[in-house]
Amino acid sequence: NLMRKVDKPKHKKVHSQALTSEQQNILIETCSKIENAEVILVALYQGFRRGEVLGITRDCVDFDKKKITINKSWSQRNKFDTTKNDQSVRTMPMFESTYNILLKRKDKNPEERMFNLSIKQYETILSKVRKESGLADLKMKDMRSTFITTGMRLTFPVDIILVWLGHVFG
């Protein structure tokens, strides 16, 4: 088999870092000026992965109960896929900032995505946010780290934060 002779590149682990309060303010201000950059803010406010935030459909959002369900993901091939793992399927509170963003998109069909963006479009938006905000090292994983740090600062129990992120252990 020829493939045995091919050296596969090792997966490089991307290290994330929580944003400071000042960096969060810069990010929020910058995203308010860039079309469709609210998708990044929803990831920040809810701790979602890129595929999770892009895979949110109208039927995942309960505006009355202020809850949001992650039950699918948007893949690199720009189609629906399963979540990263079984634990990633979850329902969590929809925080006020997310509610306000998604409320503007409430009239979508149940199967239609709240953010109708391709992976490439998403990456273009993130790149523009990096450039315009001066946060050159900003990574998508930083949104999850910031969510954890913010939740702990607000004294949410760690096990609850982990469930909200889809990290159920036991």
Side-chain angles (χ1 to χ4, degrees):
N1 184 348
L2 289 175
M3 292 308 292
R4 289 186 187 156
K5 296 180 182 183
V6 175
D7 288 332
K8 294 190 298 187
K10 300 280 187 219
H11 174 74
K12 290 183 180 178
K13 188 165 180 106
V14 177
H15 296 283
S16 59
Q17 183 172 324
L19 301 175
T20 65
S21 294
E22 182 182 343
Q23 289 171 323
Q24 287 180 62
N25 290 336
I26 291 168
L27 179 64
I28 293 165
E29 178 67 24
T30 302
C31 287
S32 72
K33 299 175 186 174
I34 297 173
E35 186 177 1
N36 290 315
E38 302 96 355
V39 68
I40 293 168
L41 294 179
V42 170
L44 173 71
Y45 299 146
Q46 299 290 148
F48 293 151
R49 297 175 177 99
R50 177 186 66 191
E52 291 173 346
V53 73
L54 290 175
I56 299 169
T57 51
R58 172 59 186 89
D59 60 347
C60 295
V61 182
D62 186 332
F63 286 99
D64 296 330
K65 294 181 182 175
K66 291 192 177 180
K67 293 193 179 285
I68 190 163
T69 299
I70 297 300
N71 56 16
K72 59 191 161 295
S73 183
W74 193 247
S75 76
Q76 291 278 7
R77 294 182 300 278
N78 290 309
K79 64 179 190 173
F80 286 111
D81 201 355
T82 59
T83 57
K84 183 176 179 180
N85 52 49
D86 290 343
Q87 295 85 7
S88 295
V89 176
R90 64 206 186 268
T91 298
M92 65 183 290
M94 181 172 34
F95 299 105
E96 195 66 29
S97 298
T98 301
Y99 177 85
N100 292 331
I101 291 169
L102 296 183
L103 191 60
K104 298 175 200 167
R105 299 164 181 265
K106 185 177 181 177
D107 295 332
K108 293 190 172 280
N109 289 332
E111 298 84 30
E112 192 176 348
R113 291 185 302 133
M114 298 299 275
F115 298 100
N116 194 20
L117 301 168
S118 67
I119 298 291
K120 185 176 181 179
Q121 289 170 317
Y122 177 88
E123 292 299 330
T124 300
I125 291 167
L126 184 58
S127 180
K128 192 171 188 178
V129 167
R130 280 187 199 111
K131 183 179 178 183
E132 293 189 22
S133 68
L135 300 171
D137 295 330
L138 182 69
K139 298 174 290 306
M140 187 60 196
K141 264 191 143 177
D142 296 342
M143 306 306 140
R144 287 173 70 79
S145 294
T146 304
F147 179 82
I148 293 167
T149 302
T150 301
M152 291 176 74
R153 187 174 35 81
L154 296 172
T155 67
F156 290 129
V158 174
D159 56 337
I160 298 297
I161 295 170
L162 292 175
V163 169
W164 288 343
L165 290 174
H167 289 274
V168 181
F169 301 103

